[in-house]
Amino acid sequence: ITNMESEDYIEQETGKLWTNDNEIKDRSYNKNVILSTNIRSLASNHSELAQISKKYNPDIIVLSEIWNPHIGAVSLTGFHQLVAKTRPSSRGGGVGIYISKQHRFEILEKVNNLSMKCLELIGVKVYLGKYVVKIIATYRPPNTNPSDTIHDIDQLLNNLGNGNVVIAGDLNINLAKQTNITSDYENLLLSYGLIQHVKMFTRITKNSATLIDHCISNMNDLDAMVIHEMCADHQTILSIFGEKDKSKQNSRNTVSTVDRVHKDNTIEKL
């Protein structure tokens, strides 16, 4: 793990870490791209996110642990205003989604108003050419009660309805190690026809490697790449699927209509 910079990629039992930018761009070329990561303070790591976003040109950015940013200070060129849910009076946590101005989107009000015991989430429905996808940003604090966790995830999945779904975020469930909660979690996903697509460690330190940042979907053509870029101390994930709408490939700065979104409601409090 400590020598990863010297190789094009690292093979682990859990999967592959992509470190060759040409390979990453070739694999994601002409695909719809969702970038997701735990950013551990969006305000502190905004410039790193902007650089990574410019490099890989995602359609959607899903963030865990945004903390409590000032919305006017965390805009990204080419993206709608951040859609977020933050903690009202404590540090940490918080989730957010940026959507490219190429795409229309709606707030998932029913999902966002669910009463959760521990899971933090915010959801939108995005129109990506022929794809209509519900995108959910999630964060589960560490050491949260396993029963509460399964309860919250079950409630979320039960309220998503039909259609394409992508749930991304730091769930602090280490899928590199088999435990009671990982079994319950994976069985729950399967019962709803969902698959967790991340197969590589997402938080790597000198002493540990864990797979705690997930991308869950019911789309068969979705593929998740864990790449070498980091905004904070978690690897960035690029989830790719389908093909881009050709009519929008050369219009990165086109402002699209936002359905049922009001600027003063794009940040909610937990």
Side-chain angles (χ1 to χ4, degrees):
I1 293 173
T2 56
N3 294 324
M4 68 177 63
E5 295 86 354
S6 64
E7 302 183 23
D8 284 343
Y9 61 84
I10 303 297
E11 292 284 358
Q12 299 287 355
E13 290 183 3
T14 46
K16 168 178 176 176
L17 177 66
W18 295 74
T19 65
N20 185 303
D21 283 332
N22 290 329
E23 289 183 0
I24 295 168
K25 291 178 181 179
D26 286 346
R27 190 168 182 82
S28 60
Y29 175 74
N30 202 36
K31 301 286 187 180
N32 297 302
V33 179
I34 301 172
L35 185 155
S36 57
T37 194
N38 181 320
I39 198 163
R40 286 188 59 80
S41 176
L42 177 54
S44 297
N45 295 306
H46 178 260
S47 61
E48 287 82 0
L49 178 64
Q51 292 173 9
I52 294 172
S53 172
K54 184 177 181 180
K55 187 173 184 178
Y56 297 107
N57 200 26
D59 298 277
I60 299 162
I61 299 172
V62 178
L63 301 174
S64 300
E65 282 209 271
I66 64 171
W67 295 8
N68 208 334
H70 187 283
I71 193 166
V74 293
S75 62
L76 285 178
T77 301
F79 288 86
H80 294 289
Q81 182 172 280
L82 177 71
V83 179
K85 185 178 287 185
T86 60
R87 297 176 183 176
S89 59
S90 64
R91 177 180 171 179
V95 287
I97 305 174
Y98 290 99
I99 302 100
S100 166
K101 287 183 178 179
Q102 293 184 54
H103 308 302
R104 293 188 301 119
F105 72 97
E106 303 171 5
I107 298 292
L108 292 176
E109 296 175 359
K110 179 181 178 181
V111 169
N112 297 342
N113 289 327
L114 291 173
S115 178
M116 293 288 168
K117 295 182 178 181
C118 61
L119 194 66
E120 301 177 29
L121 62 86
I122 191 81
V124 296
K125 180 192 288 185
V126 184
Y127 296 84
L128 296 149
K130 68 178 183 178
Y131 286 86
V132 180
V133 186
K134 296 172 185 176
I135 308 290
I136 313 296
T138 60
Y139 176 65
R140 170 188 176 257
N143 303 317
T144 303
N145 181 279
S147 296
D148 290 345
T149 300
I150 297 302
H151 168 274
D152 283 358
I153 296 173
D154 189 20
Q155 185 180 195
L156 167 62
L157 301 182
N158 193 45
N159 281 275
L160 283 176
N162 299 322
N164 297 319
V165 173
V166 175
I167 303 167
D170 178 3
L171 285 163
N172 278 301
I173 298 174
N174 181 17
L175 293 178
K177 182 179 180 181
Q178 195 67 26
T179 61
N180 289 336
I181 190 173
T182 61
S183 297
D184 291 344
Y185 171 65
E186 291 175 323
N187 288 335
L188 179 61
L189 296 182
L190 287 173
S191 73
Y192 282 93
L194 297 167
I195 296 175
Q196 198 293 114
H197 290 267
V198 180
K199 304 301 180 185
M200 176 58 190
F201 302 127
T202 61
R203 189 166 187 269
I204 302 169
T205 71
K206 290 182 179 180
N207 301 315
S208 67
T210 53
L211 200 172
I212 57 177
D213 303 275
H214 303 168
C215 180
I216 303 158
S217 183
N218 58 355
M219 293 193 291
N220 294 330
D221 62 345
L222 186 142
D223 185 27
M225 296 186 291
V226 180
I227 66 173
H228 61 99
E229 303 280 3
M230 294 188 294
C231 293
D233 59 350
H234 291 237
Q235 304 301 136
T236 297
I237 300 166
L238 296 183
S239 299
I240 59 175
F241 62 94
E243 292 185 357
K244 285 189 182 293
D245 184 347
K246 293 182 180 179
S247 67
K248 294 183 178 181
Q249 287 184 19
N250 296 317
S251 58
R252 287 301 294 180
N253 296 319
T254 300
V255 178
S256 303
T257 302
V258 181
D259 295 338
R260 297 193 295 131
V261 175
H262 303 286
K263 286 187 176 181
D264 55 353
N265 289 331
T266 52
I267 283 195
E268 301 180 17
K269 300 296 182 182
L270 291 171

